[in-house]
Amino acid sequence: FFIQGKVAVHTNGATHNIPFLYNLMPDCSLWIHPATAGELNIKTGDNIRVYNNLGSEEGTALVTPGIRPDTVFAYMGFGSKNKELKRAYNRGIHCGHLLPDVTAPVCGMSLHTTGVKVQKA
């Protein structure tokens, strides 16, 4: 599973190009459980590729027991594809390129969970 969340330093994609906030958190790493990382020969700081049938993103790994073995996590708002945002451009994983454009049939919410594969880049 690929899940996403927010961090207090950045509000989605709107703050990544602000120098002060960028200096506090210039990039995000993909959280991956130690057991899963071990199977894939991934260590903290390694370049990784996370992908599915919708897209592919590259970033760095953060090996942590703070995530389930069957799940990876990334902060929203990173990996801007806008070249004008020089600090944010291609820095981290752009979650939107991996998420399906699907609405939940019961409540009408957009779905923010999908399956991905991870490999060492």
Side-chain angles (χ1 to χ4, degrees):
F1 295 102
F2 175 62
I3 61 173
Q4 315 78 47
K6 296 181 182 176
V7 63
V9 174
H10 296 295
T11 54
N12 292 327
T15 62
H16 294 77
N17 211 44
I18 297 170
F20 178 77
L21 297 176
Y22 170 85
N23 289 338
L24 290 174
M25 188 175 187
D27 203 349
C28 76
S29 296
L30 184 77
W31 294 22
I32 186 168
H33 191 273
T36 309
E39 291 173 13
L40 299 172
N41 194 29
I42 292 173
K43 295 176 183 64
T44 293
D46 283 351
N47 292 323
I48 52 92
R49 178 176 165 252
V50 57
Y51 63 98
N52 60 16
N53 63 325
L54 300 172
S56 176
E57 289 290 315
E58 292 192 14
T60 56
L62 173 64
V63 178
T64 175
I67 191 75
R68 293 170 40 135
D70 64 350
T71 303
V72 292
F73 169 85
Y75 289 113
M76 293 292 285
F78 285 88
S80 174
K81 302 307 178 199
N82 181 346
K83 291 180 182 178
E84 303 278 324
L85 300 175
K86 297 192 185 318
R87 289 179 185 84
Y89 179 68
N90 274 343
R91 300 279 308 183
I93 294 165
H94 189 296
C95 298
H97 289 154
L98 300 167
L99 296 174
D101 185 18
V102 177
T103 303
V106 175
C107 64
M109 287 182 58
S110 59
L111 299 178
H112 295 286
T113 303
T114 190
V116 293
K117 293 182 180 183
V118 179
Q119 69 182 46
K120 201 170 182 177

